[in-house]
Amino acid sequence: MNKLPSPIHSLKDHYDVVVVGGGIVGAGIFRDLSLHGLHCLLIDKKDFTSQTSQSSSKMLHGGIRYLEKLDFSLVWEALHEKNLWLELAPHLCYESSFHFPIYKGFNKPLWMVKIGLSLYDFLSSYKNTPHKILSKKEVLNSIPSLNNENLTGAGLYYDAIVDDAKLTLEVIYDSLKEASGSQAFSHIELEKLEVQGIKNNLQLKDSLNSEVTKTISADDVIFSVGPFTDNLLSKFKDLKWDPVLSPSKGSHIWLRADALDIKGPLLLRTKDNRVFFVIPWPNAILVGTTETKVEGNFFNLSPTPDEVHYLIDNIKKYFPKIMLSEKDIISSFSGVRPLIKDSNSSELGEVKREHKVYQPKHNIHVIAGGKYTTFRTMGQEISRKIVLKKELSYNSNMTKQKLRQKSCILPFKEDEITADTIFNIIEKENVRTFDDLLKRRIGCPSPRHWNKKTSLVDLFKPIYPELKNVLYFSDEDKKLLEVESDVNH
Ligand SMILES: Cc1cc2nc3c(=O)[nH]c(=O)nc-3n(C[C@H](O)[C@H](O)[C@H](O)COP(=O)(O)OP(=O)(O)OC[C@H]3O[C@@H](n4cnc5c(N)ncnc54)[C@H](O)[C@@H]3O)c2cc1C
């Protein structure tokens, strides 16, 4: 296939810093260092933000359930970051109320929920829209189909909904303004790492075209590969890496938008006393999540039938009159939480959501754990260290500026997507695969999410000959476009 030249040909021979892993954590550190004037390279083995950072519950939140674990500093930090991003990227996230219905027999009665939500507002320095406690009648007015048996009322509090993939991409673009000496390329894999005194040699390979390789050097290397940390770092013998993660899989389903009669997000308790979210989006309802131990290869996981049943069963308990079934599912996805091992907790749900920074060599930095919401502050410890080493001054507020560049297509809107807009996205956003174009840039998790009159296939078929010159297609995507039959004719 006649693709655009591999980005490996555009790489410089040397960078101040190479960041390996373009999920939200790598994107945040890359932006921080680039805004401080360092020449950085961000690489990802797959598409940027194609793993955990597009598989979250899509909330910027303080984490109301961490209050139960008395993790006040994490909640304080996450609430402040949530409220900051509502100001910095109002086109990618918005505040929303969440109903938390309470039933007789719950281990947290309504009065205790009142105390918890008051503390939540306090920890936001009262920047949160204040919570309310609703009577049973008020809850049923808002959610008429909710199970009313033993319902005592609800807590109503405020968090934010975010397009997780788009925010990560825009954080990356923001680092690439004209004067920046930084570059970011997807589908570039780190094959070999040699630590030689103060310099690191990195052998890179184009993972879409394995014949293209290049060796570059960097003063510092940062690994921000989330759940892939142990698998990747164990490959580099020089680092003598001991595994640090306790990975936990979480799955979500997208239901048809009319499957439930709800206007806003709900926080609900599962039968096994976890919490899960039901969040209406413009074209579908997001339900999740599960929590199970996982081992092995974490790329592109999908939910098991048991996980899907678990989610459907738990929703049915709250909406007994609605005939919900697996037929109402439009699509589903899974991600792996990069949790740090915690010798004090045997249950995954109990493991703290903290992040940790490691330095296996003096110019190799590793970051793992944490939450999407706190990505900006998580990486600051590493950025500060590297910026000071360069004898520059470190400004922790540098990343509090609004994002300057926007994606070509914004989320939360039913934009008209035409052939022109598609080529505009490809040109301006360094897209390399059709999957990336569809899922993250256009925001269509699967063709079944497409709600417009013209079908996706009708839109893409006429421009396929041009698209195949610039993008890589998986076999599945080719099938979607019925390319095989076209090519044969
Ligand atoms: C089910 C679920 C729900 C969640 N919900 C929320 C939520 O609502 N709010 C919240 O704040 N947090 C949430 N989280 C947590 C949050 O999503 C993660 O903490 C965060 O996305 C992790 O980002 P990351 O950049 O560390 O990892 P990732 O996004 O996984 O990024 C790591 C990147 O490294 C790349 N990579 C791997 N190996 C290599 C290699 N060899 N070379 C180059 N690149 C490589 C991968 O391709 C990937 O893009 C949720 C997590 C899960 C799993």
Side-chain angles (χ1 to χ4, degrees):
M1 275 192 284
N2 178 21
K3 295 285 169 309
L4 287 178
S6 166
I8 273 206
H9 299 303
S10 327
L11 294 181
K12 299 175 200 167
D13 292 329
H14 181 81
Y15 293 87
D16 293 324
V17 183
V18 172
V19 181
V20 182
I24 190 62
V25 176
I29 298 177
F30 179 63
R31 176 173 182 248
D32 197 2
L33 291 172
S34 301
L35 291 178
H36 278 88
L38 271 65
H39 293 193
C40 307
L41 171 68
L42 174 70
I43 54 169
D44 198 294
K45 181 177 170 173
K46 304 273 182 180
D47 285 318
F48 289 132
T49 192
S50 60
Q51 303 305 314
T52 328
S53 299
Q54 72 158 4
S55 314
S56 79
S57 302
K58 306 182 194 302
M59 292 180 298
L60 296 177
H61 64 153
I64 205 131
R65 74 189 185 88
Y66 308 129
L67 286 181
E68 291 180 12
K69 302 185 190 343
L70 310 180
D71 208 343
F72 299 139
S73 60
L74 177 63
V75 177
W76 183 91
E77 185 186 2
L79 283 171
H80 282 77
E81 286 302 302
K82 171 205 68 157
N83 287 320
L84 177 69
W85 282 104
L86 284 169
E87 282 171 30
L88 300 187
H91 56 300
L92 299 177
C93 49
Y94 62 89
E95 191 185 55
S96 176
S97 61
F98 283 68
H99 279 84
F100 180 18
I102 304 296
Y103 290 82
K104 261 185 219 149
F106 269 22
N107 60 354
K108 304 274 175 306
L110 213 48
W111 65 264
M112 228 185 245
V113 171
K114 165 89 191 144
I115 295 174
L117 294 181
S118 304
L119 185 59
Y120 202 61
D121 290 347
F122 168 75
L123 289 171
S124 77
S125 304
Y126 294 111
K127 286 193 182 139
N128 279 359
T129 300
H131 78 274
K132 283 185 200 146
I133 294 296
L134 305 182
S135 66
K136 176 172 176 173
K137 193 171 159 207
E138 285 171 317
V139 190
L140 292 172
N141 276 344
S142 309
I143 320 165
S145 50
L146 188 71
N147 191 351
N148 61 10
E149 202 182 320
N150 294 325
L151 179 70
T152 55
L156 183 89
Y157 69 96
Y158 290 81
D159 266 332
I161 308 295
V162 64
D163 184 320
D164 50 3
K166 276 260 153 95
L167 179 58
T168 308
L169 290 170
E170 289 204 7
V171 170
I172 296 173
Y173 305 146
D174 204 52
S175 325
L176 301 175
K177 61 173 185 167
E178 265 165 46
S180 158
S182 290
Q183 293 178 301
F185 296 117
S186 59
H187 291 278
I188 303 288
E189 194 173 346
L190 174 61
E191 284 217 299
K192 277 193 194 145
L193 171 70
E194 269 175 26
V195 184
Q196 286 194 337
I198 54 163
K199 211 172 88 173
N200 302 289
N201 293 324
L202 299 97
Q203 187 183 312
L204 305 179
K205 182 181 86 180
D206 187 330
S207 46
L208 292 173
N209 181 354
S210 57
E211 283 155 30
V212 190
T213 60
K214 178 162 179 167
T215 301
I216 59 163
S217 62
D219 297 336
D220 285 88
V221 178
I222 302 172
F223 287 93
S224 49
V225 287
F228 310 93
T229 303
D230 290 337
N231 283 351
L232 179 60
L233 295 208
S234 312
K235 264 178 53 179
F236 305 120
K237 298 278 174 278
D238 285 1
L239 301 185
K240 298 191 177 79
W241 185 254
D242 273 335
V244 297
L245 296 183
S246 178
S248 136
K249 181 183 175 200
S251 295
H252 288 86
I253 50 178
W254 284 106
L255 296 175
R256 285 187 300 105
D258 58 359
L260 297 172
D261 176 22
I262 53 170
K263 294 185 194 74
L266 308 178
L267 167 65
L268 302 172
R269 269 203 185 276
T270 59
K271 292 174 187 171
D272 52 340
N273 214 23
R274 296 178 54 252
V275 294
F276 74 110
F277 293 92
V278 179
I279 305 178
W281 276 62
N283 298 328
I285 301 173
L286 182 63
V287 180
T289 169
T290 57
E291 181 132 30
T292 48
K293 238 183 165 56
V294 66
E295 285 175 355
N297 179 4
F298 304 143
F299 282 110
N300 307 322
L301 295 178
S302 47
T304 61
D306 280 354
E307 288 177 298
V308 172
H309 291 155
Y310 172 88
L311 292 172
I312 292 276
D313 272 6
N314 274 294
I315 312 172
K316 276 179 158 174
K317 192 179 80 168
Y318 287 94
F319 295 95
K321 290 187 196 134
I322 292 183
M323 301 303 288
L324 197 68
S325 80
E326 285 171 26
K327 290 197 186 119
D328 295 305
I329 299 175
I330 304 176
S331 72
S332 58
F333 60 91
S334 301
V336 179
R337 299 175 187 86
L339 304 183
I340 305 289
K341 267 188 211 165
D342 179 353
S343 50
N344 298 321
S345 309
S346 54
E347 293 289 313
L348 285 174
E350 300 294 317
V351 176
K352 288 199 170 178
R353 267 46 178 174
E354 288 169 340
H355 75 276
K356 277 209 174 140
V357 169
Y358 306 85
Q359 214 172 338
K361 295 274 176 189
H362 75 278
N363 49 5
I364 305 281
H365 315 262
V366 180
I367 181 164
K371 288 162 60 69
Y372 190 107
T373 310
T374 51
F375 76 91
R376 192 188 67 87
T377 45
M378 274 172 65
Q380 287 188 331
E381 177 185 336
I382 299 182
S383 307
R384 173 179 284 110
K385 208 176 258 177
I386 294 178
V387 168
L388 295 179
K389 199 161 87 177
K390 296 270 171 212
E391 297 182 355
L392 298 167
S393 66
Y394 183 71
N395 176 357
S396 59
N397 289 328
M398 187 78 96
T399 44
K400 285 189 178 172
Q401 339 176 2
K402 282 196 172 186
L403 298 175
R404 293 154 300 179
Q405 292 187 40
K406 292 194 166 93
S407 316
C408 298
I409 302 274
L410 296 178
F412 316 125
K413 277 189 187 171
E414 277 278 299
D415 276 301
E416 275 307 311
I417 296 172
T418 62
D420 280 351
T421 45
I422 287 168
F423 285 109
N424 197 23
I425 297 170
I426 295 173
E427 190 192 326
K428 300 218 169 101
E429 300 191 18
N430 286 335
V431 185
R432 295 194 72 198
T433 66
F434 181 70
D435 181 73
D436 196 17
L437 174 74
L438 202 62
K439 282 200 189 132
R440 289 165 286 282
R441 319 299 169 137
I442 294 180
C444 185
S446 89
R448 298 186 64 206
H449 286 255
W450 189 257
N451 276 343
K452 305 191 175 65
K453 280 189 195 139
T454 328
S455 82
L456 258 190
V457 175
D458 290 343
L459 175 68
F460 282 111
K461 248 184 159 179
I463 55 172
Y464 176 70
E466 276 176 89
L467 281 183
K468 74 177 179 177
N469 284 334
V470 285
L471 295 182
Y472 284 84
F473 286 74
S474 67
D475 290 344
E476 203 182 318
D477 293 336
K478 280 184 196 157
K479 219 161 117 197
L480 164 79
L481 293 169
E482 297 165 346
V483 169
E484 304 299 357
S485 60
D486 272 6
V487 169
N488 291 338
H489 284 143

